[in-house]
């Protein structure tokens, strides 16, 4: 298209703007909204994570201050207050899952195995961390292996085996093998226990302890 005069150019621009101006403005507004919205969302998420980490570090510091294996009622109550804060205010934070692992450990130290199971199962049952996010594989496998040990300590060896058999162990293969060996011993399946312990030994997991376990069940 050619124009003979400047007036024709101006008129053409006016017509184009009348036909397309609204859509252009809407497009610009949407682009700006997405840009500033994403910046605000990222900033909010960072602030959320930072606040959650501060509560979690307070929990860790309180636990580190107690060097004894015995955990008093007062110490457990103080830890529970911070843990509940993470569960209620920062449910979509990974720190609430870390906190659950900590609480499970404290309950095991107090021989409160049911409470430990509840915390570890919560981690496995709640992998989601909000929009398109979830706990990483290492955290999931850590919770699963610890849950299997607690369930085994409760006397349910088959349930422990079932828990371990539901997923691929990945980097936790050696740890899984040792727990499987313990479960097989409990069930009286000594040949399978030997194979599991040998697998754990081959992968370098707790060699001194696993060697003792192999010695206990004999050749």
């Amino acid at each position: 298209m050619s124009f003979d005069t400047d007036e024709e150019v101006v008129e053409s621009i006016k017509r184009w703007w009348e036909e397309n101006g609204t859509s252009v403005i809407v497009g610009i507004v949407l682009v700006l909204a997405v840009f500033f919205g994403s910046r605000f969302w990222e900033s909010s998420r960072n602030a959320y994570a930072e606040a959650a980490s501060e509560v979690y570090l307070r929990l860790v510091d309180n636990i580190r201050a107690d060097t004894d294996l015995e955990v008093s009622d007062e110490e457990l109550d103080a830890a529970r207050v911070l843990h509940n804060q993470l569960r209620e205010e920062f449910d979509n934070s990974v720190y609430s899952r870390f906190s659950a692992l900590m609480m499970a450990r404290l309950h095991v130290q107090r021989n409160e195995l049911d409470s430990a199971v509840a915390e570890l199962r919560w981690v496995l049952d709640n992998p989601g961390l909000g929009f398109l996010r979830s706990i990483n594989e290492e955290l999931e496998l850590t919770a699963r292996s610890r849950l299997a040990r607690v369930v085994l300590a409760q006397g349910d060896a088959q349930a422990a085996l079932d828990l371990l058999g539901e997923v691929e162990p990945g980097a936790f293969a050696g740890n899984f093998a040792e727990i499987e060996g313990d479960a097989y011993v409990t069930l009286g399946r000594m040949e399978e226990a030997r194979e599991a312990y040998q697998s754990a030994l081959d992968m370098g997991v707790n060699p001194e302890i696993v060697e003792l376990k192999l010695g206990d069940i004999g050749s």
Side-chain angles (χ1 to χ4, degrees), residues 6-141:
D6 291 341
E7 288 78 7
E8 291 179 340
V9 174
V10 172
E11 286 301 320
S12 177
I13 292 173
K14 287 181 177 179
R15 285 195 301 273
W16 183 91
W17 187 255
E18 289 173 356
E19 296 172 359
N20 302 284
T22 301
S23 60
V24 170
I25 291 173
V26 170
I28 292 173
V29 170
L30 287 175
V31 168
L32 291 174
V34 169
F35 175 75
F36 287 108
S38 63
R39 291 287 296 274
F40 175 78
W41 179 79
E42 185 66 26
S43 176
S44 298
R45 190 175 73 170
N46 290 340
Y48 177 85
E50 183 177 348
S53 71
E54 290 177 1
V55 177
Y56 176 70
L57 288 176
R58 285 166 55 199
L59 173 61
V60 172
D61 287 342
N62 287 345
I63 294 174
R64 284 177 178 169
D66 174 29
T67 57
D68 298 326
L69 288 178
E70 295 293 331
V71 179
S72 68
D73 291 341
E74 291 77 11
E75 290 165 335
L76 184 64
D77 288 342
R80 185 180 287 116
V81 168
L82 295 170
H83 176 53
N84 287 342
Q85 183 179 355
L86 285 166
R87 287 276 294 267
E88 293 168 5
E89 298 178 18
F90 304 100
D91 183 55
N92 285 336
S93 167
V94 70
Y95 295 104
S96 63
R97 278 63 175 177
F98 291 155
S99 174
L101 296 183
M102 283 283 192
M103 291 302 297
R105 195 197 83 186
L106 295 181
H107 285 304
V108 168
Q109 287 178 229
R110 289 168 57 92
N111 199 36
E112 298 170 350
L113 300 186
D114 288 344
S115 295
V117 166
E119 294 291 351
L120 294 168
R121 285 198 182 279
W122 180 78
V123 175
L124 295 182
D125 292 341
N126 295 275
L129 298 175
F131 183 64
L132 298 179
R133 297 171 61 238
S134 62
I135 61 175
N136 61 34
E137 182 183 46
E138 182 178 357
L139 177 54
E140 192 273 338
L141 292 174

